[in-house]
Amino acid sequence: MNQSMNQLNELIEITRDGQHFYQHALTEVKDTELQHLFRDLAQAKTHIIQALSVKVAANHQQPAQGGTLAGSMRELYTDTRARLGDPDKVYVEQLEQMEDRIVQAFEDALSAAEPDVRALLAIELPKLRACQERMRKLRGDL
């Protein structure tokens, strides 16, 4: 597998971490507005994963199917913290950090990507930044 496709698969895994985390969090929080927001943000991640997967598959490679160990560990850590405190606040805080991680990974990849991959990342990055901003605003409101 070439470097560009490895890079895209890493981004798929990191984005899937966010998708899974939002899906999990929406079952853990009680606030219906948060549940709706988390569902929307999980869906946004799904669309980005699909776009990246299409590019990987078009290059005759297998798109990544899972997430990362770091993503699983963050979810476990958050579940533990949520049991000890305010679940809504804990999930919002941790999901905002997850958004930061995803955006940083895309920005890092963008600077080193080949032109065709750079074009794809440039399309998807504003969507991720919008998700990140929604979480930042939400965290600031809590």
Side-chain angles (χ1 to χ4, degrees):
M1 187 175 291
N2 71 37
Q3 180 62 27
S4 291
M5 295 309 106
N6 281 336
Q7 188 175 51
L8 285 178
N9 270 332
E10 288 174 13
L11 294 175
I12 289 169
E13 290 173 342
I14 291 168
T15 306
R16 186 166 281 118
D17 287 344
Q19 174 198 41
H20 286 169
F21 199 177
Y22 277 112
Q23 289 170 337
H24 173 73
L26 73 88
T27 66
E28 298 294 320
V29 297
K30 303 299 181 226
D31 185 294
T32 56
E33 287 183 37
L34 279 181
Q35 291 171 348
H36 291 298
L37 174 63
F38 291 175
R39 189 171 288 112
D40 288 347
L41 294 176
Q43 189 64 33
K45 303 293 180 283
T46 299
H47 292 300
I48 292 167
I49 291 166
Q50 289 170 342
L52 299 180
S53 295
V54 165
K55 180 69 171 172
V56 172
N59 281 276
H60 309 290
Q61 304 293 326
Q62 177 67 36
Q65 298 300 310
T68 68
L69 178 60
S72 297
M73 296 297 289
R74 178 176 296 274
E75 208 172 296
L76 180 64
Y77 169 74
T78 304
D79 286 345
T80 303
R81 283 194 54 212
R83 285 186 192 94
L84 301 173
D86 177 357
D88 291 359
K89 185 175 181 178
V90 170
Y91 281 101
V92 167
E93 174 186 297
Q94 291 300 308
L95 285 163
E96 184 208 1
Q97 289 178 21
M98 177 64 75
E99 289 292 346
D100 293 344
R101 177 177 176 237
I102 294 169
V103 168
Q104 186 63 55
F106 271 73
E107 288 173 345
D108 292 347
L110 184 65
S111 65
E114 295 178 9
D116 61 327
V117 172
R118 189 176 307 128
L120 173 61
L121 299 181
I123 291 168
E124 300 304 326
L125 191 53
K127 299 172 190 174
L128 291 166
R129 287 185 179 135
C131 293
Q132 179 187 38
E133 189 56 37
R134 287 177 78 182
M135 289 305 295
R136 277 195 181 144
K137 182 180 181 326
L138 180 61
R139 185 167 181 217
D141 292 344
L142 290 181

